[in-house]
Amino acid sequence: MKDRFGRTIDYARLSLTSRCNLRCPYCYREETQSEPTDELKPDEIAEIVSVLAELGIQKVRLSGGEPLLRPDLEEIVSAVSKTPGIRETVMTTNAQGLARRLGALKNSGLMRLNISLDSLQAERYRNMNGGSLEEVLSGIDMVIALDMLPLKINCVLLGGINDDEIEGFINMARERPLQIRFIELMPIGKLSIQDLRRDPAEILKSTRGLRLMKSEYPGQPARCWGGPGFRGSIGFIRAFSDPFCRSCNRIRISCEGRIRPCLADDTEWDLRSAIGNPARLKEIIMTAIESKSEKHRFSEGFIPSKFMYCIGG
Ligand code: SAM
């Protein structure tokens, strides 16, 4: 379906939980996160996704919070991927515990993944978020072994925290078939972007031999660079410095069933109350898509009231 600015909306990001097992510095809030009882159940997700597909959604990304915390994730993947009209079922994860579940997830219909990785140093990684770098690396190995490519690695660049590791990440893209995406810190969460935001495009100045690659699909937020000597590529997502709102094709649905047409606009509609009534669900989703903002207001100082773990990153 098209929104009122002529953008085709064919991509939905579903947050499966607000719970997370990591404490990333830009995303973690020290208050109790919502209880699992708030989360949509697989049959409720299936019903929402089937209406989304009728309205032209073709790609669904499962995110959170951490989607691997859902014991019923395989059931959800299966329901989403079997929905007529859904062509791609993909997931964003921190990869803690991914390797041992990936075979079952692939068999359930999961096609590809984005893995978050902010440091290649085990101790720094643990200090940053409490997680295990080894788990992430074995998850990456398993994705490659199961040929679920292309695999995208998301690294949020933080000045003075991990920006001394850029070379290490670039070497990873040279040696392995990975798309390393450097993400500019957005004003969502508790870190001050004034102090910590690093424009990833600066990286290009010090890396030789890179050529701009063609976008894989319209609306791709990352501009990607590759070239001779690279098995993979590097990309930059600069939502703040170079917004991609004009080609935005996505909507987000929280784990409690609230639809949010723009990441950086707090307006949401409740879908849960319409479950069991597909016509009403359709009406609410259409209203939300029609109301999608033309562009985000980060540069005007707008800060969303919810962190990414609630919105679905
Ligand atoms: N737990 C999963 C993970 O770690 O990939 C999925 C959810 S997490 C919220 C998804 C993504 O949100 C992370 O890759 C991180 O890049 C991004 N994110 C969260 N807060 C951000 C911020 N303030 N600026 C930029 N990216 C952010």
Side-chain angles (χ1 to χ4, degrees), residues 22-96:
L22 296 192
R23 299 287 177 256
C24 298
Y26 40 80
C27 201
Y28 168 51
R29 184 149 57 187
E30 282 167 47
E31 62 190 42
T32 317
Q33 298 183 8
S34 71
E35 290 301 311
T37 45
D38 292 344
E39 295 164 0
L40 292 173
K41 307 208 168 18
D43 55 330
E44 295 175 312
I45 293 173
E47 189 176 331
I48 292 174
V49 170
S50 122
V51 176
L52 289 171
E54 273 177 44
L55 288 170
I57 297 294
Q58 301 183 0
K59 173 174 171 180
V60 172
R61 175 170 303 281
L62 306 174
S63 184
E66 176 46 51
L68 286 169
L69 291 184
R70 294 271 312 231
D72 51 3
L73 180 59
E74 290 76 2
E75 191 183 340
I76 295 169
V77 169
S78 175
V80 170
S81 64
K82 287 196 181 109
T83 306
I86 299 300
R87 294 187 181 172
E88 293 177 76
T89 305
V90 299
M91 179 168 90
T92 299
T93 175
N94 60 32
Q96 304 294 303

Side-chain angles (χ1 to χ4, degrees), residues 199-240:
D199 184 348
E202 295 283 315
I203 294 169
L204 281 179
K205 292 184 186 155
S206 54
T207 312
R208 299 234 170 107
L210 286 169
R211 284 196 298 257
L212 184 60
M213 297 164 75
K214 266 185 29 194
S215 290
E216 288 162 33
Y217 56 89
Q220 180 182 316
R223 284 166 66 79
C224 293
W225 303 72
F230 278 81
R231 288 186 68 201
S233 61
I234 63 169
F236 307 113
I237 300 189
R238 303 163 71 219
F240 189 84

Side-chain angles (χ1 to χ4, degrees), residues 13 20 22 24 26-27 63-67 92-94 114-116 118 154-156 183-189 308-309 312-313:
R13 299 172 71 109
C20 195
L22 296 192
C24 298
Y26 40 80
C27 201
S63 184
E66 176 46 51
T92 299
T93 175
N94 60 32
N114 289 2
I115 292 182
S116 301
D118 294 334
N154 289 343
C155 170
V156 179
I183 299 181
E184 183 177 45
L185 180 65
M186 291 184 283
I188 306 177
M308 280 291 249
Y309 68 80

